[in-house]
Amino acid sequence: MEGKHANRFILFLSLVIAILAISSSAILVKEAKAPSSIIATYRLMFTILILFFPTLIYHRRELFAVQKRELVYSIFSGLFLALHFITWFESLNYTSIASSVVLVTMQPIFAMMGGVIFFKEKYHILSILGSLLAVIGGMIIGWGDFRIGGMALWGDILALLGALLATVYWLLGQSVRRRMSLLPYAMLVYGSSTILLILYDLIFSYPLFAYSKRNWIFFILIAIIPNILGHTIFNWSMRYISATTVSMLILGEPIGSTILAYIIYKEHLNLTQWVGSFFIFLGIYIYIRYQTNTKLENESFS
């Protein structure tokens, strides 16, 4: 089992790495020329293959002795993760990378409500203000795409749905991670999610193997960078910080994603996206300034 204490510097460095890793996700997904559910399937399948032997070596006993409650929670967590990937990947087909990434990371707002309802968490009034500013930023971006066209608005709706589904995934993870080690939890979640995605692929007759060598390379890169170095590190951090704080930190993703989109695709932000992003980033700063410090003071760190 993992300890209840974490070095503050190691935690900070790990979270920075995770944010940088997930920033590459939208670009890698766009480069993988395959249906969204196929990309999600191999993202998780290759992650499982990479983590399989370390899990058996270090956590075999815990994995095979998992309690019924943790098993059920992990399976449902995997379900919501699979649906999150499908809706978010599909959103990239209808709206810009910048809008999709920013909107799907609206999940801290949902996580904050879930934290209050299910975990009785308390929030500083200014951290709530920061969250509201982030919501306003998302609304501004959505309105800008509404004026661009209906398909862009549909992409925004899918991205927001992806944010809600991701929130449930993180909240379930917050509950389970307090009682389970990282690798057994990851194997159960990613495993159940992969099974559901394969069923989805078969139902809609998506080919499972007819892809180019270039696509397979991107499938593996998506598994290693945004999933293992991104999602899995965030899952590790929930041993020490709340799902709401993790979700808020994920809002750093649009910075790296939009920079990469500009470099690779020359994809520029329009005025409403600039304004909306400003409000979102201001909201992040206020939340981190007034909520994270309070949270860290109440956690155990070495």
Side-chain angles (χ1 to χ4, degrees):
M1 295 292 288
E2 300 160 45
K4 294 182 179 179
H5 300 268
N7 181 277
R8 188 183 293 266
F9 174 75
I10 293 176
L11 177 63
F12 173 78
L13 179 61
S14 299
L15 291 172
V16 170
I17 292 173
I19 292 171
L20 294 175
I22 62 173
S23 295
S24 69
S25 186
I27 300 297
L28 293 173
V29 167
K30 206 171 185 70
E31 288 297 319
K33 308 301 182 182
S36 58
S37 62
I38 291 292
I39 297 173
T41 299
Y42 285 113
R43 170 178 181 156
L44 297 175
M45 186 179 295
F46 281 118
T47 297
I48 292 171
L49 292 176
I50 294 170
L51 298 180
F52 180 74
F53 285 108
T55 304
L56 283 185
I57 293 171
Y58 297 106
H59 299 280
R60 180 174 62 254
R61 181 176 300 178
E62 183 181 356
L63 178 62
F64 291 111
V66 61
Q67 299 296 312
K68 181 178 179 180
R69 179 181 178 183
E70 280 69 35
L71 178 62
V72 172
Y73 274 44
S74 297
I75 291 174
F76 274 99
S77 182
L79 167 64
F80 285 104
L81 176 61
L83 294 175
H84 159 69
F85 281 142
I86 291 171
T87 53
W88 178 54
F89 289 169
E90 285 295 341
S91 75
L92 294 174
N93 294 324
Y94 300 101
T95 190
S96 68
I97 286 178
S99 289
S100 178
V101 170
V102 171
L103 286 168
V104 81
T105 50
M106 291 295 291
Q107 55 190 274
I109 310 305
F110 302 127
M112 182 173 286
M113 293 186 291
V116 171
I117 296 172
F118 298 108
F119 297 100
K120 310 301 180 184
E121 293 179 354
K122 296 181 180 180
Y123 296 94
H124 193 288
I125 184 64
L126 290 178
S127 69
I128 296 176
L129 174 62
S131 299
L132 291 176
L133 286 174
V135 171
I136 292 173
M139 292 173 63
I140 292 173
I141 291 175
W143 177 250
D145 272 350
F146 176 76
R147 291 189 297 169
I148 292 172
M151 296 308 292
L153 178 62
W154 173 241
D156 289 342
I157 292 173
L158 287 174
L160 282 172
L161 179 58
L164 178 59
L165 293 165
T167 299
V168 179
Y169 158 67
W170 289 118
L171 288 171
L172 287 170
Q174 176 179 331
S175 176
V176 179
R177 280 287 292 125
R178 292 175 177 177
R179 300 182 297 274
M180 281 188 69
S181 298
L182 173 64
L183 290 181
Y185 169 73
M187 290 296 290
L188 290 173
V189 171
Y190 297 156
S192 60
S193 188
T194 300
I195 292 172
L196 290 168
L197 285 167
I198 291 175
L199 291 175
Y200 181 91
D201 297 333
L202 294 175
I203 290 172
F204 287 93
S205 300
Y206 292 131
L208 293 175
F209 306 108
Y211 300 100
S212 66
K213 179 181 178 180
R214 183 176 183 274
N215 274 341
W216 289 107
I217 292 174
F218 277 105
F219 293 159
I220 295 172
L221 289 176
I222 291 170
I224 295 173
I225 302 175
N227 213 63
I228 293 179
L229 296 179
H231 267 255
T232 306
I233 288 180
F234 280 126
N235 277 318
W236 167 80
S237 72
M238 283 196 296
R239 191 82 167 186
Y240 314 104
I241 58 179
S242 71
T244 304
T245 300
V246 168
S247 296
M248 187 62 73
L249 292 172
I250 291 176
L251 283 174
E253 179 180 356
I255 300 175
S257 294
T258 51
I259 291 174
L260 288 174
Y262 173 77
I263 294 173
I264 298 174
Y265 303 117
K266 305 302 180 183
E267 188 176 285
H268 295 269
L269 290 174
N270 59 41
L271 178 60
T272 55
Q273 289 171 329
W274 274 113
V275 174
S277 296
F278 170 76
F279 275 97
I280 288 176
F281 298 148
L282 178 61
I284 296 173
Y285 171 77
I286 293 175
Y287 178 90
I288 297 300
R289 172 67 179 81
Y290 291 99
Q291 185 67 26
T292 305
N293 287 343
T294 301
K295 178 68 180 175
L296 293 179
E297 290 171 1
N298 293 328
E299 293 289 348
S300 297
F301 285 85
S302 58

